[in-house]
Amino acid sequence: MLLEFPGQERAPAELPRRGKLVLGSSRERADLVLSGEDIEAVHCTIRPLKGGGWALVDMGSDIGTRVNGRVAETVRLAHGDVINLGRTRLTVVDPTAPQPIEPEAAESTPAPSAAGPSDAGDIAGMRISGYRIDKILGRGGMGQVYLALQERLARPVALKILSPALAADVEFVHRFEAEARAAAALNHPNIVTIFDVGDEDGRHFISMEYMHAGCLETRLAREGRLPWSVVLDVLHDAASGLVYAESRGIVHRDIKPSNLMQNEEGATKIADLGLAVQTEQEETQAEGQRVYGTPHFIAPELIHGEKPDSRSDLYSLGATAYRLITGQTPFQGQTPREILRNALNETPAPVASLAADVPTELQQTIERLLQRSPEDRHPSAAILLKEIDRIRLTGGDHGQAEVGDSSRGPGWRLIAAGILLLAAGAWLLPPFLAGGDEASAEVRDVAASAPTGTGADDFEGVVFTEDGTDTGIEAADDDMAARLLETKAELEYLKLGELVLSDEERERRLMELAERFKGTNSAYRAIDEVVSARAARSDAEVQSQADEVAIQAALETMTDVTSGFEAYRVRSAIQALRSISAPGGPTQAAGFAKRRAAFEQTLLERAVEYAEGVLERADRLAAQGDFDGLEALLVEFSSTVELPDAPQDGQASPSALQLEQLATRAYGRISEIDLNREAWLAKQVSVDEQRIATGLRGTDGMVVRLGEFDFEGAVELLDATLADVRTAGSRAVLTDLREDLDAARSALESLGQAWEQNSWRRKSIADPSAPRSAKRDAVGADIRGVLVADDRGTRHLPWGTWAGHPRELHVLFNERLSRPWSELESLGIATLFRLGAVTEAARWATAALADPAPVELEHDLVLAFFDQAEPWADSGSSSEALRDERHAVELLIATLSAQQAGTSGIALSKLERLLTEHPTSLFVLLLSDARPWKTESDEGQQAPIDTGQAPIDTGQAPGDSGRANPAGEREG
C-alpha cells in the first residue's frame, strides 16, 4: 500500500511493513516530513496490524486528522481512503487494485487548472447513463464536475460524479440522492437547475444546468476586481435567488464567489442550493469547536455555533460583494482560525478606501450586510432586493439614506419638510390642506422652528396672514400643488411614527393616511407597511406550523441517529445531534434543547453498554488466547467509538465520563496485547507440560508401551494427550513423537510385508526369549511378528520380543532382505532403534532416581542401545535426533555421578543444562512430572510460572541449591 500526494511532485511513500511511520513537520521526529502551517511536529502515525492491514492514529493534534472527511483518532486504512492533515491531502492507494475513473480532490479547483491534458484525453467520449462526457470542469469535496452532453435532449449539462470514497458510503449516497431530488424541485431564474440524479456501475452522479461563463471567483482571477455596476447586477440576481430560498425555508450556508455562476447572457445563479453543503464546505476550527463554511465568507453567528438563518446568507453575500468590488476579502489571516478570529473582533477596511469609485449608497449596503450582529443587517433578502432596485434606479447618485430611515431620527425630516413647505409659499395652503386651521397652525409651528436665515431668499415676497392665507399672489401650478401634498403626507407619516400604538391601531391610522393622501409616496409607504405587517403575521403563523413540522422531523432524525448509533462514531453521532438546530421561538427552542439532550444521553448510555460488551468479549478472547482476534476487536472498537467533544458548558455527563474510562481501558489493552500474549502463552505451556506429564506417565504409561514395542497402544495414549494440549509448541512436540511412533511401527511391519513378498534372504534369527539368544529358523512372518520352528514345534514371536535387546534387534534387521532397505524403511528402522534406546535409558533412570541408596551406574549398559542405533541413524535428521537424546542421557548420568560424589554444585550445573538444552526431548518427557524445577530461592533465577500446583518440597534447609529432578521423586 502506498501514500500518494495529489498535486505534488513527490514520489509515493510505502506504508510500513513493521514498526510505525510518523507523519509531521519535524525533521527530527517525523519519518515522513510534511510542510504546512497547520501540521503538528508529530501529527499522526501509521502502523501495521498483526491481523493484516494498517491503522492510523492521531497523536493529539490541535486541528485533528480527517479520513474521508471525518475526524479520526484511530482508524483502519483501506485503498482509496483520503487523509487530510489540515490543508495537506494524501491518498491511500493499493497499486494492484483497479483505479477509479477520476481521482478525488479536497478543494474546489477553477476550470483552467482543474485537469491537465492527460485527464481530458482519458475521459473524453466516456459515457455514463445517457451522458457523453467531453471534458473536466472542476473538482470539489464530493468529486469531479464534467461538461457532458445529455444525448436524449442534445443539451450540454454539468455532470458531478461522486468520488469513490463517498460512493462507498451507503448512508451518504442515500442522503445525497434524497437532497438532490429535493433540490431538483427548486425552480427560479437565479438558481442553477438540477436536472437528474442517478448511478451506473456504482458511479453516482447528478446532472445540472451548465453555466457557460463559469463562477465569479474564476472571473475575478481572470479580470481583476469587477466594476461596481456589474457587482450591483450580481447582487440583484443573487438576492432574487435568496428571496426564493427564503420562501422555501432553505439556508444555503456557503454563499461565495465560487458558488455564484454566470451563463452566456451574464445572469448570475446560485449553485448547490439545497444540496448537502456540509460535504462541499471547508471544515474549520474556531474557539475549540468545528464549524462548516468557507472562512472568508462565513457569518459570525455560525462561528459561534448559532442557528443559521437567511441573514447568515446575506452576510456571506456581502462578503462576496466586498471581494468582487475590492479584489480582497473583508478579513485576512495566515490560518483559517486567524481569519475567523479577525471576523469576530476586527472591522473590515471601508469599501471606499479600496474602491473609491463605488457610490455611497452601494458602500453603505455592503457595510450593512457585513454587520457582525444579524439584527443590524437587512431583515430579509426581499428588503435587500428593494434597496438594490432603488440604487439601480437612481444610478447610485444619492449619498443620503432614504426618507423614513429610523437610524437618523425624525427631527431633521420635520425641519426639511417645513423648509420645503415655506418655500412653496403660504398663499398656496388653503386649497390643498385638508386640515384647515389645524394645518395652518402646524405650518406656522414648523416655520417658527426653522433656524434663522434658513432659505431667506426663497421666502422673499411671501407674506403670511394670521390664518395663513396669502395676500394677492397668484396660485401655483399643479406641480407645486403636488409637492405641497407630498410634504403634508410626509409630515403626517413622520408624526405617526412617533406615537406609541398597538399594531391594530397603527394599521388603522396608516390606512386612513393612505386614503387622505392618495397618490403620494407616503400613502404608498403606508400601504406597504400594512401589507408587510399583515404578511409577517401570516408568515409567523405559517412559520410556527413549519417549526412544529421541523421539530418533529428533527426528532425523527435524532431517533434514527440514536437507534442506529453503531453505524456512527459516537463523536460524529453526538455532533450530528448538536448540529440539528432548534426551530421556532425561544420556548420551542428550550423544549427542543431538552429533548435533544435526552437523545444525547440515550446515545451515550447505549454507547457505554456497547463498550462494556466489547470489553467483555475482549476478556473472553484473552482467556481463550485469541490475541489476534482481541487486537482486531479493540482496534475496530477504538475506530468506531470515539470520545465525544465536551459540551459548551464544559460539564461532561456521568455516562460520557464512564465511556471515556471504558475507551481508555480499551486503548490501554491494545498496548498490553503483546505482554499479555506472552504471559498467557507461558501459563498455557506450563499447563500443557502438566497435561503431557499426566498423560504419558503412570503404571501403563509410555515407557511401558514403548518397552513392549506396543506402538498401537502408545499412539492411542499419545492421541488422548494430544487432544488436551492447547499451545502450538506442545502440540508440535507431541505431533513429532506420533510421527516417530508411526515410523517405528512401519519398520517392524515392513519385515512382515517383505516375507510375503519373498524378499527375506536370511531365515535364521536370534530369539531373545531363549537362553543365550538361541538361533531359530523363521517359517513365516506378518505385521505382528515372526513364526519360528524348533524341536517343540512352531511358535509365534511378537515383535515386542526384541524390545530391550539391541544386539538381537540389530541382527533381525541387518542384511535380512535380498534387496537394500528403502530410504523410508531405513528412517523407520533408525527411529525404532532411537525409541528403544531412549526407553531403556528411561527405565534405568526411573530405577536410579527411585532408589534413595547409591546405585551402581552402568554407563555402558545404558548407552549400549545408542551404540547399536548409530549405524542405522546415518541420515541427517535421524542422526541429529539420536545425538540429542544421547546427550540428554549423558547429562543425567553426569548429574547422578556428581551427586553420589558429593559435588552438588556440579550436579546442579549438569541438571540445569539437561533441562535447559533438552526440555522437549523424549527422554525428559518420559521422566518429567512437570513440576517447576526453578524456585524463588534460586539465586539469579526468576520465580517459576504458577501452574496451580503446590510447591515442591525439596527437603532441604533454606539456602540449599537443590532442584527437583525430572522425575520429581528425588530432590538433589
Side-chain angles (χ1 to χ4, degrees), residues 844-845 848-849 855 857 891-901 907 970:
W844 165 82
L849 294 168
V855 296
L857 299 177
L891 285 172
L892 182 60
I893 292 174
T895 298
L896 296 178
S897 298
Q899 188 72 16
Q900 287 187 359
R970 178 180 177 187

Side-chain angles (χ1 to χ4, degrees), residues 199 263 513 610 651 684:
D199 69 278
N263 60 16
L513 184 149
Y610 174 64
Q651 299 297 320
Q684 291 303 311

Side-chain angles (χ1 to χ4, degrees), residues 569-581:
R569 304 178 193 278
V570 172
R571 169 181 291 166
S572 300
I574 289 180
Q575 287 180 343
L577 292 180
R578 293 175 181 170
S579 68
I580 301 173
S581 303

Side-chain angles (χ1 to χ4, degrees), residues 265-311:
E265 291 76 25
T268 301
K269 300 190 179 188
I270 302 173
D272 287 347
L273 183 67
L275 293 181
V277 295
Q278 286 192 3
T279 304
E280 292 280 23
Q281 292 167 3
E282 177 182 355
E283 183 183 336
T284 315
Q285 280 196 338
E287 304 301 329
Q289 64 181 347
R290 301 188 187 281
V291 296
Y292 287 92
T294 306
H296 288 296
F297 304 97
I298 187 171
E301 61 268 21
L302 299 190
I303 302 174
H304 287 303
E306 298 175 6
K307 175 186 175 181
D309 59 21
S310 59
R311 295 172 298 178

Side-chain angles (χ1 to χ4, degrees), residues 43-46 54-77 81-86 283 285 290 292 569-572 575 635-643 645 667:
H43 202 105
C44 63
T45 63
I46 298 176
W54 287 264
L56 179 145
V57 180
D58 183 78
M59 301 305 291
S61 59
D62 288 340
I63 199 169
T65 304
R66 287 183 292 154
V67 178
N68 299 330
R70 297 184 177 179
V71 178
E73 290 184 359
T74 304
V75 65
R76 183 186 290 270
L77 297 177
D81 283 349
V82 179
I83 304 172
N84 284 91
L85 284 65
E283 183 183 336
Q285 280 196 338
R290 301 188 187 281
Y292 287 92
R569 304 178 193 278
V570 172
R571 169 181 291 166
S572 300
Q575 287 180 343
V635 169
E636 177 66 21
F637 170 79
S638 62
S639 65
T640 303
V641 179
E642 296 181 343
L643 298 181
D645 295 336
Y667 300 151

Side-chain angles (χ1 to χ4, degrees), residues 338-361:
E338 184 179 348
I339 295 170
L340 297 180
R341 187 183 301 114
N342 290 340
L344 294 176
N345 300 301
E346 304 294 336
T347 301
V351 173
S353 67
L354 301 173
D357 60 327
V358 179
T360 304
E361 286 191 323

